Amino acid sequence: MTLNPLSNPKGVKLLCELCQKPAFVQCTLCRVTYYCGIDHQQADWVGIHEKICQLLIPLRTVQMSFLSSEEHRKKQEQDLLHRRKHMIELTRTTGQKLLFEGKHEQAVPAAMQSLRFSIDVHGLDSIELVPSYLILAEASIGLHKLSQAEEYLAQAQWTVLKTPDCSSAIKSKLERNLGLLYASQGNFDESLRHIADDIYHASEEFGTDDIHTSGGYFHMANVFFRQNRMDIADSLYTRVTDIWHEHLLRIVTSQTKRPDTSAVGGAVVELEEKETESLDEAQEAEAKQVLHSIHDIREQAANQNAAESAAKISHALAMLYFLLHDLPKAKELASKAQASCKPSSSSSNQDHLAEDIADFMQTLQELPLRSKSSILDMAT
């Protein structure tokens, strides 16, 4: 990409997208984004700008005409609001995805964009800004900038405290980030207290066995793991595995089952089905991070419990890669799960798992190596 030095018109101040210092170069693709130098341009491009470059043009070049009708102006305003809300969701999901992938530095531009659009839509004091503060805080923790993380968390905490009707979902995310901060400082007791609050609030909002709650169990397990309290950590890792396995199994089943039909007057009528569940980009990245982490820990363990849970972890990963349209990886992990899972006369759970794995293997065997579009056609 070519960057052209700017010669700003008199009285026009152009600021860097990342640091808000005077800008001297311009993105030549959208021509509405400016930077203090090539380093910040490249950082923004990798973090979020590649995704939103063209989407920024109508947002930053829109002109409300006072000569048009009131109805037309309202339509313009509604369209602008819709675009901004879409950008909040896109940038926030991208930031979360990058965090789960361990790309903390790249997550910062996405979080900053989500914060800007949230301010535009909701104002400076809204609770809707908190998720963006939390992404910035977690990115700062990952970059070992703990004092900066504390500032973001303090802002988020203050906003939550002055919002009596704040949702349990936001309280959960705040407590989780506080737990991560204290864990990074080595204060494990305080970390566990905040993560316990995270699990409580997430359970209130989503239930105890939901993937939104499982993140709290996972981080609590990591704290116990660092304390070498392996029995507790192992039970929590098992809980996380069970939640993700059940969730992925439900999605795969809904996407691979044939539509229900009913004969009416000699004609076959396809019954209406409910919309199937799916994973967004951030949830896909979270599943990969969490399940691979537990999978690696299980492989290093040599006890019987670890051997029994290895099959479920491998099956969960196989289903995840199936949903990610990586059939060779899905088949490899499914074969590994099948080899690890032996039906047991004393364990009905093991028998059910063996049946689920066998059904999944059957689904994979019926599919040739297909392209992404072919698999999507099958799912719909």
Side-chain angles (χ1 to χ4, degrees):
M1 183 186 304
T2 303
L3 292 171
N4 301 324
L6 297 174
S7 178
N8 299 341
K10 186 177 180 180
V12 175
K13 293 183 180 180
L14 300 177
L15 302 178
C16 176
E17 194 78 1
L18 292 190
C19 66
Q20 297 299 295
K21 292 180 180 178
F24 301 101
V25 291
Q26 177 189 49
C27 172
T28 57
L29 294 180
C30 67
R31 298 189 179 278
V32 294
T33 311
Y34 307 94
Y35 303 96
C36 61
I38 194 169
D39 289 343
H40 277 190
Q41 189 276 338
Q42 289 176 339
D44 190 39
W45 179 263
V46 174
I48 189 62
H49 193 70
E50 182 180 13
K51 273 191 172 185
I52 66 173
C53 182
Q54 297 303 301
L55 298 176
L56 289 171
I57 297 174
L59 287 170
R60 294 181 176 177
T61 58
V62 64
Q63 293 182 350
M64 296 293 181
S65 174
F66 292 100
L67 298 178
S68 58
S69 67
E70 182 179 355
E71 182 181 351
H72 181 68
R73 289 198 301 272
K74 285 184 177 180
K75 186 176 180 182
Q76 275 188 304
E77 291 171 357
Q78 287 297 319
D79 179 65
L80 183 61
L81 180 62
H82 176 76
R83 289 174 182 271
R84 285 174 173 166
K85 287 183 175 180
H86 172 68
M87 292 292 279
I88 293 172
E89 183 65 27
L90 175 60
T91 53
R92 194 172 287 170
T93 299
T94 301
Q96 286 285 2
K97 173 179 179 289
L98 292 168
L99 287 179
F100 286 124
E101 292 175 346
K103 300 174 181 176
H104 300 98
E105 191 167 4
Q106 294 180 21
V108 173
M112 289 176 63
Q113 287 287 4
S114 73
L115 182 60
R116 288 194 192 105
F117 283 110
S118 296
I119 291 172
D120 288 343
V121 173
H122 303 289
L124 277 169
D125 298 324
S126 173
I127 193 69
E128 298 295 334
L129 274 59
V130 170
S132 300
Y133 287 134
L134 296 180
I135 297 174
L136 287 166
E138 190 170 344
S140 299
I141 294 170
L143 294 170
H144 306 292
K145 298 179 179 179
L146 300 187
S147 59
Q148 192 172 43
E150 288 176 342
E151 291 179 14
Y152 287 128
L153 289 174
Q155 181 64 51
Q157 202 166 21
W158 169 243
T159 305
V160 168
L161 285 172
K162 64 184 182 144
T163 309
D165 58 346
C166 174
S167 70
S168 294
I170 289 181
K171 291 178 182 178
S172 165
K173 291 179 180 179
L174 173 61
E175 295 295 342
R176 186 172 303 180
N177 274 264
L178 288 167
L180 293 174
L181 175 65
Y182 282 110
S184 67
Q185 295 171 337
N187 188 343
F188 296 131
D189 289 341
E190 194 66 16
S191 174
L192 289 171
R193 185 178 72 80
H194 283 289
I195 297 175
D197 287 340
D198 158 30
I199 294 171
Y200 170 76
H201 290 302
S203 298
E204 269 198 332
E205 184 78 15
F206 305 105
T208 56
D209 296 319
D210 190 272
I211 59 171
H212 294 87
T213 310
S214 70
Y217 298 134
F218 178 70
H219 289 299
M220 181 174 281
N222 289 340
V223 173
F224 283 119
F225 184 88
R226 291 176 64 180
Q227 293 178 307
N228 204 30
R229 299 165 70 178
M230 294 308 301
D231 288 346
I232 304 175
D234 186 67
S235 66
L236 289 167
Y237 285 137
T238 298
R239 183 76 176 272
V240 176
T241 302
D242 290 342
I243 291 171
W244 273 106
H245 182 271
E246 181 65 27
H247 189 76
L248 293 167
L249 182 61
R250 186 166 60 249
I251 295 176
V252 169
T253 301
S254 68
Q255 291 193 5
T256 56
K257 70 180 180 181
R258 295 177 179 175
D260 294 332
T261 58
S262 177
V264 179
V268 176
V269 179
E270 192 170 299
L271 300 179
E272 185 178 352
E273 291 189 11
K274 294 181 180 179
E275 185 177 347
T276 58
E277 289 184 272
S278 61
L279 300 174
D280 63 30
E281 284 190 344
Q283 290 169 338
E284 289 173 357
E286 180 182 10
K288 287 178 73 173
Q289 180 218 24
V290 168
L291 294 175
H292 274 296
S293 296
I294 298 175
H295 178 268
D296 293 344
I297 291 171
R298 294 297 193 218
E299 288 210 323
Q300 294 172 10
N303 56 62
Q304 181 61 27
N305 289 335
E308 290 178 358
S309 60
K312 183 170 281 191
I313 278 285
S314 297
H315 185 213
L317 282 167
M319 292 187 290
L320 175 62
Y321 280 101
F322 173 80
L323 296 173
L324 295 175
H325 316 297
D326 187 344
L327 291 186
K329 188 72 173 178
K331 288 184 176 182
E332 174 192 337
L333 287 160
S335 297
K336 185 175 181 180
Q338 194 169 47
S340 303
C341 185
K342 304 297 181 184
S344 170
S345 58
S346 60
S347 175
S348 60
N349 289 336
Q350 195 80 346
D351 291 342
H352 287 310
L353 178 59
E355 291 175 7
D356 289 337
I357 295 172
D359 290 342
F360 183 65
M361 285 292 293
Q362 182 66 29
T363 299
L364 292 177
Q365 289 168 2
E366 291 173 356
L367 287 172
L369 288 178
R370 300 183 180 184
S371 65
K372 178 177 179 178
S373 59
S374 298
I375 300 173
L376 286 173
D377 291 341
M378 177 206 68
T380 56

